[in-house]
Amino acid sequence: MRTIRKIEQSIHRIKKRKKVAAYARVSMESERMQHSLSAQVSYYSSLIQKNPDWEYAGVYADYGISGTGIKKRQDFQRMLEDAEAGKIDIILTKSIQRFARNTVDLLQTVRRLKEQGVEVWFEKENIHTMSGDGELMMTILASFAQEESRSISENVRWRVKKRFEKGIPNGHFRIYGYRWKGDQLVIIPSEAAIVKRIFQNFLDGKSRLETEREFAAEGIKTRNGCQWLDSNIKKILTNITYTGNLLLQKEYITDPITKHRKKNRGELMMYYVENTHEAIIDKATFDYVQQEMARRRELGPLANKALNTSCFTGKIKCGICGKSFVHCIRHDRGGAEVWICQSHKVRNCRCSMKGAIPAKVLNEECAAVLGLAEFDGKVFLDRVEKILVPEHHTMIFYLKDGWAVTRHWVSTAKKDCWTDEYKDRQRDWMRNYMANGKGTRFSPFTTRVRCAVCGHAFRRCKQRKKQGISVHWRCGQGGKCSSLSVREEDLMKIAADAMGLEAFDGDRFREEIDFMEAGAEDQITIHFKDGRIQTVPWTKPKKQGTRHTETYKEYMSQLGKKRWTPERKQRMSEQMKALRKERGENWQRQ
């Protein structure tokens, strides 16, 4: 028997090429390092393009950037973005040190790439991150690279220390008022004049805030074209470099990996080098300014003349966030003076302290604690150390003799601020506000329709009906007044006819008519702004009921017959006989 064998056509599958990129980096900016980086880029470009199984995806290179971090390496970040976009399958790099010297950054980056299916090859260590033991070896070697970076940093720190001992600064730092000319600081006259003015303002008793406002008014800018701030002025006043001397190692790096800088407050030795450059401010003036700053710091806000201070300034402390209470005037309550926690004047306040302390209550409580008939600010400053507010309506007075007195108070600020004068002012404002139609919910008739019976203003009332919403105007006294309500459409028609208009116009109504008197049984009176008075006859329309159709009448008749059965008639008859027998002859009246 013949056998038949089916021969299928074989399809030649083209092997997909891997998209390969490379990363190179040098940490120092020098001519030799630049050649090294160029050599790395050329080497990897040639290596990738020679391999027939690879597709060239580019070479990413960072020049003059340390490997202890990845945030500042722009090409490194661009490479990661391209890898996540699917443009890279394999990344080649010379060694772990070129890729990252920080163990945490290295592991996080490699794992992030592995999740995207991207493999990293470290040539020197012969490690492929997709292999089984790749991550273990990479972790060990990365730790060595990190420690090597730390060792290099210690060597650099030792070299910088030796420079400090010789009185040589570590690089050319930027300072307002000077420029570097070679290795020498040279004065810039225009900037030096600003520095002298800052010191002179402080010696004249002006605060830093006053100097800031003065420079802003005159348009004086910093070297970068920015406005002078309190922090900038403080740096000028505390920088000893303006005396012609240098103080070296005022800051130091706490960790070579994180590069975190910290102000030197005695942790490391500082080096004072005299007469290194020309002075802008003499040393005696500088020392006096430091003493004055310390004195003002001790006084706190009371030393700042630019602030509106009182005896309570800096004395009242919040028991929740620890900040001081500040003085405020509430114009929405007739100019009431209160003290509130400073945190509440900042956006996204996290302090849970509620309410404010009225100035009147504060004075009364202080007088009671000090045993005074009336509050005296001088006595308060002499005897009270501070006032702690642990919660609303509670104050703890800490006296300078060691005693602590707790006081609980009740606020009457809202009641006190509503004086007769303030009430009249608010009424006038509200009346004008509504009458002028400034609020979107106010009608042209608001406050302009008055009751002819009692004189009160009419109010707008809405009523839902099957035909829609019915709008009426009624006396604000409600059931206490016998006046009649008026439909809004009737008011509009009468007002339009009085003004000689075909349709009602709200703006014209406000301009020409002062008010309307309504609610009487036979008329509506219109008072114009020019003095004219017009009386219009009006009769309240009768309520119109809904006429029932013949079909509806027949339906109700059949429904009554269906419900009024003989059994129900007999039951109702028996109930009425029992009721008459119980009540007697006068059963209907009861």
Side-chain angles (χ1 to χ4, degrees), residues 21 27 53 61 73 89 114 150 183 205 263 265 279 310 417 429 468 474 496 534 581:
S27 57
D53 296 331
R73 290 194 268 166
D89 296 321
K114 190 182 287 188
R150 197 181 299 275
D183 290 333
K263 190 173 182 179
R265 301 184 184 277
S310 74
C417 75
W429 177 85
R474 296 188 177 93
Q534 182 178 346
K581 185 178 180 180

Side-chain angles (χ1 to χ4, degrees), residues 20-22 44-51 54-58 92:
V20 182
Y44 282 117
S45 299
S46 175
L47 178 66
I48 296 170
Q49 292 174 10
K50 284 180 181 179
N51 194 324
W54 289 352
E55 179 182 341
Y56 181 71
L92 306 178

Side-chain angles (χ1 to χ4, degrees), residues 12 19 23 35-36 45 49 58 134 158 171 238 249 282 286 318 326 371 417 455 461 488 498 519 529 542 581:
H12 180 67
K19 291 172 281 188
Y23 178 73
H35 288 311
S36 173
S45 299
Q49 292 174 10
W158 179 86
T238 57
Q249 198 160 254
D282 62 89
F286 180 83
C318 177
V326 293
C417 75
C461 304
E488 188 172 75
K529 290 188 176 181
K542 295 181 180 180
K581 185 178 180 180

